[in-house]
Amino acid sequence: MTHKGALVPSTANQLTIAAQAREVYWNLGRSELVEWSVREGEGELSADGALVARTGEFTGRSPKDKYTVRDALTEDKIDWGAVNQPLDPESYDRLEALMLDGAKDERLFVQDLAAGADDKLQIKVRVVTQYAWHNLFAQNMFLRPSPEDRADVQPDWTVIDLPSVEADPALHGTNAKTFIVVNFTKRTVLIGGTQYAGEIKKSIFGVLNFLLPETGDLPMHCSANVGPAGDVALFFGLSGTGKTTLSADPERALIGDDEHGWGPDGVFNFEGGCYAKAINLTAKAEPQIYAASNRFGALLENVVLDEADRSPDYTDVSLTENTRSSYPIDFIPGHVKTGRGGNPRAVIMLTADAYGVLPPLAKLSVDQAMYHFLSGYTAKVAGTERGMGREPQATFSTCFGAPFMPRHPSEYAALLRDKVESSGAECWLVNTGWTGGQFGTGSRIPLAATRAMISAILSGGFKDIAFIQDPYFGLMVPEACPSVPADLLSPSSTWAKLSDYEATANTLATRFAENFVQFAKHVPASVVESGIRPRG
């Protein structure tokens, strides 16, 4: 067991977080971190050996408490606003001092990790946590260098995660006691006042989203897999749209389930693990994810255990609907060990349409792909963010990841266009939402049907099938799809009353058009013309 009494600050940021810490445990292995977590009452073991932890008050991200330091480096590059909230350097310095004070007499855990499987674009990340289980989360989610590579490492970025440290809004310039602050000049992330571990990985995702466009590379909130012939597929989509489920295909190798970059040599994973939604998880529907979640080394967040035998009850949402499973990607059989693939053949944009009017499948032109990438329409699933209600809410989240995009959305959209045009990738819109009526009336599109559509896309199954233009949304929809009922492909035919469908479709089209006004002056006119507009 490696034990040190104080951390040595990196040359990158000079933040000495544990000078007064009682003890520091450095780069502990999986077993030791689990032992610490159980011994300190941070979590308990399931019947199959997974560590089960609770995140307290925050069972999801806290987007209103995320900030970026506004200084000379970021002033003209960040798209400031409700998503990218500014914090002045002086307030940051006071928060940093608060964190230093909060580290006094604490036991801290440190992991030296990395983000980005492309060596040329990778950043080294040091994660310092108050909880052992947060350190296990970081070890699961980031790339794990060899012991040799960890020797005398100088991190590019340092993440400090101390849930017990709470801000004073009047003194620190925050909205509440909780804070997630990114400082690009000091290359540090400070996290306090929340036990939700997902803030650790999402903060570094945001860092890469800022850095990669500088070199003409595209950061993406998407999953990725590759077939036996080397055909890479990307799956864009917000939480709950199915990107983790659909990319975990036994017939294809998983590159990653959430965050990737598209560089000059193709696609690469940012992470070394998966962070899957665990609600209603079953071995039948999602065998790979289920097996990975029910073994030693997996970390289950807010999953309730059966009192009698400690087996996870994935249907229990008494704590939150945003139950999660974190595990190393090597828990998935046949994963791509390098975390890299070539240029994608298919770019699939997933949405969960709560209105039940979008086609389940449509092929997109490059202009339409840019339009839907900027729109990022879906229905948020209850529990994925603090303050969500019990029902899904229709939303537009640009680039299918607005909370993590520091730059103006048009920068990412222009990069997507360049990548798609240079690679010749085909673009698709797949709706995993409702059919036969809107949420509360209709039903969720069967997972088996969605899988069949994805299979047809990846196998070239539409080569000899004609496409017709949907009269309500202007999308090109196939007349047929193997193993999918024909009426399912035409949403209007699944509703009891056509007039109800038309009214609802027009309502959604109006929302699309109103939302896209903000992007119209930043994109070519052809993108605007390719978009969705209400009829009449």
Side-chain angles (χ1 to χ4, degrees):
M1 179 179 293
T2 304
H3 173 221
K4 296 185 179 182
L7 288 178
V8 178
S10 73
T11 56
N13 57 60
Q14 299 300 316
L15 177 60
T16 310
I17 186 61
Q20 303 95 340
R22 172 161 49 97
E23 54 191 25
V24 178
Y25 291 88
W26 208 297
N27 290 327
L28 295 187
R30 187 176 298 155
S31 298
E32 292 170 302
L33 290 171
V34 170
E35 287 172 358
W36 272 109
S37 300
V38 174
R39 185 161 54 238
E40 295 300 311
E42 297 175 1
E44 59 183 328
L45 293 180
S46 73
D48 293 312
L51 180 66
V52 183
R54 296 188 178 184
T55 63
E57 175 186 358
F58 294 88
T59 58
R61 293 182 300 102
S62 188
K64 293 181 180 180
D65 299 314
K66 182 174 72 74
Y67 308 89
T68 302
V69 175
R70 189 170 191 164
D71 57 19
L73 180 61
T74 59
E75 175 68 40
D76 298 325
K77 295 181 178 180
I78 299 290
D79 184 30
W80 302 107
V83 171
N84 296 304
Q85 300 181 103
L87 189 75
D88 62 83
E90 293 74 24
S91 293
Y92 172 87
D93 289 341
R94 289 191 288 271
L95 275 175
E96 181 181 300
L98 181 70
M99 295 290 272
L100 286 168
D101 188 63
K104 288 181 179 179
D105 300 322
E106 283 289 338
R107 176 190 297 115
L108 299 179
F109 299 88
V110 184
Q111 289 287 323
D112 285 317
L113 303 161
D118 186 326
D119 293 341
K120 297 187 293 294
L121 300 170
Q122 184 180 94
I123 60 173
K124 295 179 176 62
V125 182
R126 175 167 290 166
V127 182
V128 183
T129 67
Q130 184 176 8
Y131 295 158
W133 81 264
H134 279 194
N135 221 238
L136 177 65
F137 174 86
Q139 186 183 97
N140 279 355
M141 297 312 304
F142 292 114
L143 298 168
R144 297 164 287 279
S146 66
E148 294 76 21
D149 290 337
R150 280 176 162 178
D152 300 318
V153 66
Q154 293 296 329
D156 301 308
W157 279 78
T158 302
V159 179
I160 310 298
D161 174 51
L162 305 179
S164 66
V165 176
E166 298 179 348
D168 177 349
L171 179 62
H172 300 111
T174 59
N175 294 322
K177 64 182 181 180
T178 301
F179 56 93
I180 305 96
V181 183
V182 179
N183 189 322
F184 282 97
T185 296
K186 291 192 173 184
R187 301 185 203 171
T188 57
V189 179
L190 305 181
I191 302 173
T194 175
Q195 298 179 47
Y196 185 65
E199 302 286 11
I200 298 172
K201 92 174 197 106
K202 288 301 184 184
S203 63
I204 292 300
F205 182 29
V207 166
L208 287 168
N209 283 350
F210 179 82
L211 297 176
L212 287 184
E214 294 278 350
T215 54
D217 302 302
L218 175 63
M220 304 175 292
H221 185 211
C222 70
S223 59
N225 64 22
V226 59
D231 53 312
V232 173
L234 302 181
F235 299 83
F236 285 93
L238 294 181
S239 177
T241 57
K243 69 180 188 302
T244 297
T245 300
L246 294 170
S247 59
D249 184 340
E251 302 300 319
R252 297 171 63 83
L254 181 68
I255 299 174
D257 84 324
D258 196 36
E259 299 164 0
H260 293 81
W262 191 343
D265 300 321
V267 172
F268 62 95
N269 195 359
F270 284 172
E271 304 178 285
C274 301
Y275 196 34
K277 289 183 69 67
I279 184 172
N280 296 324
L281 180 62
T282 66
K284 181 178 180 180
E286 299 172 284
Q288 290 187 333
I289 298 173
Y290 185 88
S293 302
N294 289 278
R295 57 180 287 185
F296 182 81
L299 172 61
L300 303 179
E301 289 183 353
N302 299 312
V303 172
V304 176
L305 297 180
D306 183 277
E307 293 183 1
D309 62 5
R310 288 197 175 188
S311 62
D313 182 355
Y314 293 114
T315 66
D316 191 323
V317 295
S318 58
L319 296 176
T320 177
E321 292 188 19
N322 191 36
T323 53
R324 292 277 180 167
S325 173
S326 162
Y327 49 85
I329 196 170
D330 56 30
F331 281 16
I332 299 294
H335 71 283
V336 179
K337 293 182 180 180
T338 63
R340 301 177 64 176
N343 288 319
R345 182 180 299 175
V347 175
I348 299 168
M349 299 182 187
L350 301 169
T351 184
D353 174 30
Y355 286 89
V357 292
L358 280 180
L361 176 64
K363 189 173 182 179
L364 304 175
S365 67
V366 176
D367 283 330
Q368 287 176 322
M370 200 169 171
Y371 179 92
H372 285 277
F373 183 65
L374 282 168
S375 298
Y377 168 70
T378 193
K380 286 183 180 178
V381 179
T384 56
E385 291 185 5
R386 186 169 181 252
M388 285 284 294
R390 297 291 301 174
E391 296 184 356
Q393 298 176 5
T395 187
F396 293 91
S397 183
T398 184
C399 306
F400 295 98
F404 322 118
M405 303 296 173
R407 296 173 179 271
H408 193 276
S410 61
E411 290 192 48
Y412 303 108
L415 283 169
L416 176 71
R417 182 177 201 126
D418 290 344
K419 296 293 185 182
V420 168
E421 289 182 336
S422 63
S423 67
E426 289 186 343
C427 299
W428 301 80
L429 182 68
V430 174
N431 174 23
T432 63
W434 279 257
T435 185
Q438 61 185 357
F439 176 81
T441 302
S443 58
R444 197 74 187 259
I445 294 172
L447 178 59
T450 301
R451 288 191 187 279
M453 296 175 206
I454 299 295
S455 178
I457 290 172
L458 300 179
S459 66
F462 296 110
K463 183 179 180 181
D464 299 319
I465 293 178
F467 283 72
I468 56 175
Q469 189 172 46
D470 180 274
Y472 300 96
F473 299 103
L475 298 166
M476 298 305 295
V477 178
E479 289 186 329
C481 177
S483 303
V484 175
D487 61 343
L488 186 63
L489 298 173
S490 177
S492 61
S493 67
T494 67
W495 282 54
K497 293 179 63 177
L498 180 60
S499 58
D500 289 345
Y501 171 84
E502 290 176 332
T504 306
N506 215 45
T507 296
L508 180 58
T510 299
R511 292 196 176 188
F512 263 99
E514 291 173 346
N515 174 72
F516 205 79
V517 168
Q518 62 185 305
F519 306 120
K521 66 180 181 181
H522 300 287
V523 299
S526 58
V527 174
V528 180
E529 293 166 1
S530 75
I532 292 174
R533 291 181 293 275
R535 303 176 76 188

